[in-house]
């Protein structure tokens, strides 16, 4: 075997999995932010826009990283020591978006329960 990966195309699968994760978290964050800003019109518009912006940034960072990894794998063969996982900053943003979903969902459930 002369290539650093088999016919399964692991870098491409990893990139697609990263995209699916970012898109799911972005969609959840937009919905959660929309509920959070329901009582405040400015927050209701600003928070989803920020969530969409964060999602686009994460998609861009993930795409660039995995394309760079693919190019390095092709150039270096099996002798590469670069990290395969996304950087800590991208994972931190993804974690913050997930936390926003959780907090907003909890607030929405509690407020809805108290109103009834």
């Amino acid at each position: 075997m002369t290539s650093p990966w088999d016919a399964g195309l692991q870098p491409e699968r990893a990139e697609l999995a990263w995209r699916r994760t970012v898109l799911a978290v972005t969609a959840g964050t937009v919905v959660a932010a929309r509920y959070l800003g329901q009582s405040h019109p400015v927050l209701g518009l600003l928070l989803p826009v920020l969530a969409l912006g964060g999602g686009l940034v994460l998609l861009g960072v993930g795409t660039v990283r995995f394309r760079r990894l693919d190019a390095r794998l092709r150039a270096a063969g099996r002798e590469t020591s670069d990290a395969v996982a996304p950087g800590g900053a991208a994972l931190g943003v993804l974690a913050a978006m997930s936390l926003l979903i959780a907090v907003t969902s909890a607030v929405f459930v509690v407020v809805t329960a108290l109103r009834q």
Side-chain angles (χ1 to χ4, degrees):
M1 178 156 68
T2 60
S3 68
W5 56 87
D6 64 6
L9 303 172
Q10 287 85 0
E12 287 83 358
R13 286 198 315 245
E15 181 180 1
L16 290 173
W18 177 248
R19 284 178 179 232
R20 281 191 306 270
T21 301
V22 168
L23 289 173
V25 171
T26 300
T29 306
V30 168
V31 170
R34 185 71 182 131
Y35 280 118
L36 182 65
Q38 201 170 25
S39 60
H40 301 289
V42 174
L43 286 179
L45 182 61
L46 182 65
L47 291 177
V49 168
L50 289 174
L52 284 173
L56 288 174
V57 167
L58 285 174
L59 278 176
V61 167
T63 299
V64 167
R65 182 159 181 92
F66 283 110
R67 299 274 164 87
R68 191 177 315 140
L69 171 67
D70 184 52
R72 287 182 183 155
L73 283 172
R74 290 179 191 278
R78 289 176 127 345
E79 305 302 321
T80 182
S81 61
D82 292 335
V84 176
L91 292 176
V93 171
L94 191 60
M97 292 171 76
S98 299
L99 183 62
L100 178 62
I101 293 171
V103 169
T104 304
S105 300
V107 167
F108 179 72
V109 167
V110 169
V111 168
T112 303
L114 291 177
R115 286 184 184 169
Q116 294 179 359

